[in-house]
Amino acid sequence: MPDGSGIPRDGGAGRTVRTTCPYCGVGCGVLAETGPDGAVTVRGDPDHPANRGRLCSKGAALAETVGTQGRLLHPHLDGRPVSWDRAIGTLAAAFRHAIDHHGPDSVALYVSGQLLTEDYYVANKLMKGFIGTANIDTNSRLCMASTVAGHKRAFGSDTVPGTYGDLEQADLVVLVGSNLAWCHPVLHQRLLAARRERGTRIVVVDPRRTAACDEADLHLALAPGADVALFNGLLAHLHAGGHGDAAFVERHTDGAAGAVAAALAEAPTPERAAALCGLDPAAVRRFYDLFAATERVVTVFSQGVNQSARGTDKVNAILNAHLYTGRIGRPGMGPFSVTGQPNAMGGREVGGLANQLAAHMGFSATEVDRVRRFWNAPRMAVREGLKAVDLFRAVEDGRIRALWIMATNPAVSVPDAGRLRAALSRCDFVAVSDGFADTDTARLAHLTLPAALWGEKDGTVTNSDRTIARQRPFLPLPGAARPDWWIVSALGRALGWADAFAYDRPATIFREHAALSAFENGGSRDFDIGALAGLDDAAYDALTSAPWPMRAGEAPTRRLFADGGFFTPDRRARLLPVTGRPPARARSADFPLWLNSGRTRDHWHTMTRTGRSPRLSAHTPEPCVDLHPADAARAGVTDGAVVRIVTATGTALARAALKDGQRPGEAFLPMHWTDRFTGACVAGTLIDAVADPVSGQPELKAMPARVEPVTLRWAGCLLSREPVEPRHAGYWARHAVPGGHVLALAGEDAPPDAGALADLFPGLSPAGADTVDYEDRRRGVLRRAWIADDRLAACLFLAADGALPSRDRLLRLLAGEPLDAAARLAVLSGRSSEPAAAEGRIVCSCFRVGLDRLTAAVRDGGLTSVEAIGRALNAGTNCGSCVPELREILAAVREGAAA
Ligand code: SF4
């Protein structure tokens, strides 16, 4: 808890601490407890309005992701630990040198939606008000910049008009480019509960058949990039049928005639729209008729819309349909952007994007002057800074000489990541502040700074429906780790602005942030939390969820725009004429597939946290590329085989996963894997950096690619108690399991022999370990066990024919029992001393129920429903994230029985 310095030191041992989940933009409330032994437990907060006690699989496993293993505990300069004084002095000297010799635009910050609002606020103030550059951009650029730009074009402000409750009050929910079931699971569960109660119709618009389609009435698997055509067709249909709200359009909007004309020009009929989208005309007409006939419609959109070189136009096409029908700001209706990160919205509020100033202001002369006066800023940035893609180009060509990356891993997540890595390695000075010591980006830094992580951080976040909530500490800061706001403030003071950065606690920063939001506002700006500007420390600490706007002296406004009042100069919304465009790059004979990238169910970003959890890692233990069976057959690829993915910018190795729900001509690769977890499967290296001209958000969903079969000469499997990173140029992938780690390996060259193992696995053998070997060169079999203190430390199986012991049996080897002579022999046979029931790949993370056990129970136990599975095995009864997969298993067993 805070000790007066504002820095949490002793955690919250023995108490229940009310905090917020650090993953997605749903922003679920979490109750965290630390036991006397330091063990952490978490559960959903029943009083939090976002989740009402629910957590998804990721939230429920949060306790497995805390701890000091792998943490960065001290500042390091060129790989050696240094004091904070030395670290801040080095950072200040590098920034000062660049500014003195090359001007303020030669320094940059690349920050993150993982930061708390207070961290974000101080970083923006330092860069935009004091250093004098707007070269601070956030990884939210990759997530929802197109929504920000679309909102501002239509509403004059970056405003989400509705609330989560609208999904429960709607009669039709349209999910566009949103796998809500996996990416915002608790919100999806709320939607499904409402559907059970009131029969909410659900339409999914997505090239892939995702888990969100499981309970949808209609799935429109449109061609990539066709969203504008689909929504233009909708607007034309609404216009033709007289379904517009003429009074709302007349009173509160501008540009409807132009938008309708553009829609009619592109997609005058459902049939034309269907042709442009590659869809069945009857299905398109059904969607349009449903929309037209339903008053309460919410359109949820996410990364499938945003991560596009035409993302802003896609957003405006959606907003046009809602504005034209007046379906905005009233219960159960409105366009609804859901954000990927826990504090993407908070970042937007403080100006985390390079083209924004603080408190939802821009770079007009009036706004720059207003913020200058509020901050008493000596050197105010007067124009927009470089957006992420351009920012890293400036690092590459030497315009940026000193770069500080905070709480993010761009060497993995930014498109054309290979080029970015080369640029970072040439940059004069790179600092990385992070909670983890060994990320792909930290390896390229001169200076690394240990930052607080979830459980230690103290501040606020804002979720997708504009609700501000507290993240509170319940763990002590490990080592010399510090909150991000503290590190930024220290740099500000070192650069000579002691008074402006004299912050001693997050509450002080929050009050200033709230005061700026109300400064010369008078209702002219959407973001106003002036009612919170006077919170004292105790009230800030006790703050429960608080939706904005919350103007001083007024009741909070929950929904906006039902009666107009947009934040354009004339208070009218704008309908924009938009026209569909194909994806930025075309497929070709060389690259016949479009490669899409996104999330898996149980991992988060670059796996720094979720990769530590055996429970979460079990769902997708290795990187898989989803392919339609026809594309796989054409490429000569079989299910489960290691394949090579090739694009114009890079190559990767992953396992093929054949899926009927994958649109033919497209492939899907998760964004999570890094060089720390796999040999060569960083999605960011495969994707060219082409960005939306309005929002600067890169296209991450449609990169021309091909998939090639890989001829393997051997396969292997390593179990180890400690994480191991092999020096292996072929395929490998590591994941956490109870008691250790499992590493899958495969190679195209000759299999390694026993003499090569020390080079292949540096640092694997514990001091004093015995080894037990078995080698049969003729059959290409090599097995070795490392045994320390009578326990298995590691165990390797290599086989030229790929025949390896079953995973379930291997996992029992790490159970930890002392190994007697018989057990030592059994290890190399790949058997534990006890038989194990087949579990298979974990489907239900909450209760660790695997595919094999589920299939057997359904097949042999006569289970015919998700509820029956839940009663028998508990699977699906907690967070519900696995329910779509349970349905798939039921269907697969049914089909198998019928065949
Ligand atoms: Fe966290 Fe899951 Fe809630 Fe998202 S839905 S905030 S990941 S618990």
Side-chain angles (χ1 to χ4, degrees):
M1 286 299 298
D3 64 358
S5 70
I7 299 172
R9 294 185 189 283
D10 60 354
R15 295 185 308 111
T16 300
V17 173
R18 207 172 282 270
T19 183
T20 309
C21 175
Y23 293 124
C24 81
V26 179
C28 295
V30 171
L31 298 177
E33 284 172 54
T34 313
D37 58 351
V40 172
T41 55
V42 300
R43 61 198 156 95
D45 181 350
D47 297 326
H48 196 286
N51 58 316
R52 300 169 193 151
R54 292 187 182 101
L55 292 177
C56 76
S57 51
K58 287 187 287 287
L62 273 166
E64 291 179 30
T65 66
V66 297
T68 55
Q69 193 190 18
R71 291 293 301 271
L72 180 62
L73 297 174
H74 298 277
H76 282 70
L77 181 61
D78 296 325
R80 287 184 294 281
V82 293
S83 67
W84 268 112
D85 280 352
R86 174 98 190 273
I88 295 296
T90 303
L91 185 60
F95 267 52
R96 194 178 293 121
H97 183 272
I99 293 164
D100 289 349
H101 289 82
H102 307 284
D105 287 338
S106 68
V107 300
L109 258 61
Y110 185 63
V111 299
S112 162
Q114 300 289 317
L115 294 181
L116 305 189
T117 299
E118 291 76 2
D119 305 321
Y120 249 134
Y121 177 86
V122 179
N124 272 277
K125 179 178 176 181
L126 175 64
M127 291 297 279
K128 290 174 181 160
F130 290 74
I131 289 178
T133 178
N135 282 346
I136 168 168
D137 209 34
T138 161
N139 64 0
S140 295
R141 179 72 59 194
L142 312 180
C143 173
M144 30 75 334
S146 295
T147 290
V148 176
H151 280 165
K152 289 172 81 170
R153 291 203 307 193
F155 306 150
S157 61
D158 176 22
T159 314
V160 175
T163 76
Y164 291 155
D166 289 323
L167 274 76
E168 293 165 321
Q169 296 179 51
D171 293 314
L172 170 64
V173 173
V174 186
L175 304 177
V176 191
S178 163
N179 181 4
L180 204 71
W182 280 15
C183 300
H184 301 88
V186 166
L187 197 52
H188 190 243
Q189 291 297 320
R190 285 179 62 171
L191 170 60
L192 296 188
R195 176 179 165 84
R196 285 191 288 276
E197 269 177 32
R198 59 183 290 135
T200 315
R201 303 293 191 94
I202 300 174
V203 174
V204 177
V205 179
D206 195 317
R208 305 166 61 215
R209 192 173 73 221
T210 65
C213 301
D214 191 53
E215 288 205 33
D217 297 280
L218 182 61
H219 171 213
L220 299 175
L222 81 178
D227 314 56
V228 172
L230 184 71
F231 278 85
N232 264 346
L234 173 62
L235 185 59
H237 185 76
L238 295 168
H239 174 74
H243 299 295
D245 182 337
F248 185 88
V249 168
E250 172 68 24
R251 274 203 300 272
H252 301 306
T253 74
D254 207 1
V260 168
L264 287 168
E266 184 178 26
T269 63
E271 289 67 29
R272 178 65 188 142
L276 291 168
C277 298
L279 292 168
D280 171 15
V284 171
R285 188 173 277 281
R286 189 173 161 217
F287 166 48
Y288 289 178
D289 287 342
L290 254 181
F291 195 108
T294 310
E295 175 79 355
R296 292 182 172 223
V297 182
V298 172
T299 303
V300 174
F301 56 99
S302 190
Q303 267 64 323
V305 169
N306 292 328
Q307 291 179 333
S308 160
R310 296 286 167 186
T312 311
D313 285 352
K314 292 179 182 180
V315 170
N316 284 112
I318 293 169
L319 303 188
N320 282 348
H322 279 270
L323 289 169
Y324 190 71
T325 51
R327 288 177 185 148
I328 187 164
R330 289 183 284 148
M333 59 187 89
F336 204 114
S337 147
V338 284
T339 56
Q341 295 198 78
N343 199 28
M345 291 284 276
R348 285 147 75 165
E349 290 156 15
V350 299
L353 295 160
N355 53 322
Q356 289 184 326
L357 263 183
H360 277 200
M361 284 183 266
F363 281 89
S364 71
T366 306
E367 289 166 310
V368 167
D369 181 60
R370 182 183 298 129
V371 178
R372 180 206 319 272
R373 286 183 285 112
F374 182 86
W375 280 342
N376 195 19
R379 198 191 277 172
M380 197 68 203
V382 296
R383 60 176 182 277
E384 296 180 5
L386 296 170
K387 302 181 179 103
V389 168
D390 293 334
L391 187 149
F392 286 108
R393 290 283 183 267
V395 173
E396 181 179 54
D397 65 25
R399 279 175 289 150
I400 287 175
R401 304 296 184 110
L403 172 68
W404 180 5
I405 297 165
M406 301 175 69
T408 183
N409 200 356
V412 177
S413 52
V414 167
D416 216 349
R419 190 168 161 186
L420 179 142
R421 290 173 188 220
L424 292 185
S425 65
R426 285 199 303 272
C427 187
D428 289 353
F429 180 81
V430 177
V432 169
S433 49
D434 203 312
F436 297 99
D438 191 21
T439 70
D440 291 23
T441 304
R443 287 195 174 192
L444 299 164
H446 302 96
L447 178 68
T448 52
L449 304 166
L453 285 182
W454 183 80
E456 303 145 15
K457 287 164 90 95
D458 188 8
T460 56
V461 291
T462 307
N463 72 6
S464 294
D465 81 345
R466 291 181 275 107
T467 300
I468 297 170
R470 292 275 280 114
Q471 265 197 24
R472 294 186 175 87
F474 55 91
L475 293 168
L477 282 168
R482 290 286 181 271
D484 291 287
W485 64 262
W486 184 95
I487 308 173
V488 180
S489 300
L491 176 63
R493 292 192 295 271
L495 289 172
W497 300 297
D499 290 343
F501 296 94
Y503 303 114
D504 63 350
R505 66 199 64 215
T508 315
I509 303 167
F510 184 83
R511 285 189 284 269
E512 184 179 313
H513 161 58
L516 174 55
S517 76
F519 184 59
E520 298 177 358
N521 188 325
S524 63
R525 304 193 302 274
D526 65 335
F527 182 68
D528 185 339
I529 54 169
L532 303 176
L535 292 183
D536 61 19
D537 289 356
Y540 172 79
D541 207 36
L543 183 69
T544 53
S545 55
W548 65 258
M550 212 189 284
R551 303 182 194 279
E554 293 181 15
T557 314
R558 207 57 196 95
R559 294 187 180 85
L560 293 105
F561 306 148
D563 298 313
F566 296 93
F567 292 93
T568 53
D570 58 8
R571 292 295 201 170
R572 298 164 77 88
R574 302 288 187 268
L575 280 80
L576 275 290
V578 288
T579 305
R581 301 256 190 286
R585 316 164 201 86
R587 289 177 295 186
S588 64
D590 255 5
F591 299 117
L593 303 171
W594 263 314
L595 181 69
N596 186 351
S597 65
R599 292 189 168 148
T600 60
R601 193 189 76 188
D602 286 352
H603 274 310
W604 177 257
H605 280 197
T606 60
M607 294 165 62
T608 46
R609 271 195 296 247
T610 54
R612 299 151 67 98
S613 162
R615 195 156 36 134
L616 297 177
S617 300
H619 181 257
T620 315
E622 297 182 43
C624 294
V625 57
D626 293 355
L627 296 167
H628 189 273
D631 291 321
R634 210 168 292 122
V637 161
T638 55
D639 194 36
V642 173
V643 298
R644 181 170 284 107
I645 308 152
V646 185
T647 71
T649 61
T651 63
L653 294 170
R655 289 202 187 274
L658 274 49
K659 302 245 170 97
D660 288 330
Q662 191 62 31
R663 202 172 193 275
E666 294 176 30
F668 176 83
L669 187 69
M671 59 186 258
H672 308 293
W673 268 267
T674 74
D675 284 352
R676 309 281 69 80
F677 288 94
T678 185
C681 199
V682 176
T685 62
L686 298 175
I687 301 170
D688 199 0
V690 179
D692 181 295
V694 181
S695 69
Q697 179 152 1
E699 169 87 65
L700 293 168
K701 298 287 189 188
M703 179 71 189
R706 68 171 175 271
V707 169
E708 299 172 347
V710 172
T711 305
L712 296 174
R713 293 182 59 189
W714 58 275
C717 174
L718 175 80
L719 286 88
S720 64
R721 296 213 180 271
E722 299 300 323
V724 173
E725 222 171 90
R727 286 198 193 121
H728 175 47
Y731 176 80
W732 65 267
R734 171 170 61 83
H735 68 279
V737 296
H741 305 264
V742 168
L743 190 83
L745 297 134
E748 296 171 81
D749 300 329
D753 59 26
L757 295 186
D759 283 344
L760 186 59
F761 301 112
L764 172 63
S765 180
D770 296 335
T771 56
V772 185
D773 282 335
Y774 171 80
E775 187 167 15
D776 181 341
R777 290 189 185 216
R778 191 178 54 79
R779 289 175 50 227
V781 172
L782 172 61
R783 297 175 181 178
R784 172 174 291 179
W786 288 262
I787 295 164
D789 299 328
D790 284 335
R791 288 177 192 276
L792 188 71
C795 190
L796 174 73
F797 300 84
L798 299 180
D801 63 1
L804 299 168
S806 87
R807 184 176 180 280
D808 294 325
R809 289 195 177 278
L810 290 173
L811 292 190
R812 293 187 64 83
L813 295 174
L814 284 175
E817 305 96 5
L819 296 169
D820 59 20
R824 286 182 180 221
L825 286 177
V827 165
L828 286 191
S829 72
R831 289 181 279 112
S832 68
S833 50
E834 294 173 37
E839 191 67 69
R841 179 181 66 78
I842 295 299
V843 173
C844 172
S845 299
C846 297
F847 295 104
R848 293 195 60 79
V849 188
L851 179 62
D852 294 352
R853 185 148 63 105
L854 283 162
T855 303
V858 171
R859 188 188 53 225
D860 306 334
L863 307 180
T864 56
S865 67
V866 168
E867 291 72 25
I869 293 176
R871 283 191 294 275
L873 301 173
N874 282 334
T877 59
N878 187 36
C879 75
S881 300
C882 64
V883 167
E885 284 175 85
L886 299 183
R887 288 211 171 85
E888 282 176 17
I889 293 165
L890 286 163
V893 172
R894 257 197 317 269
E895 279 171 25

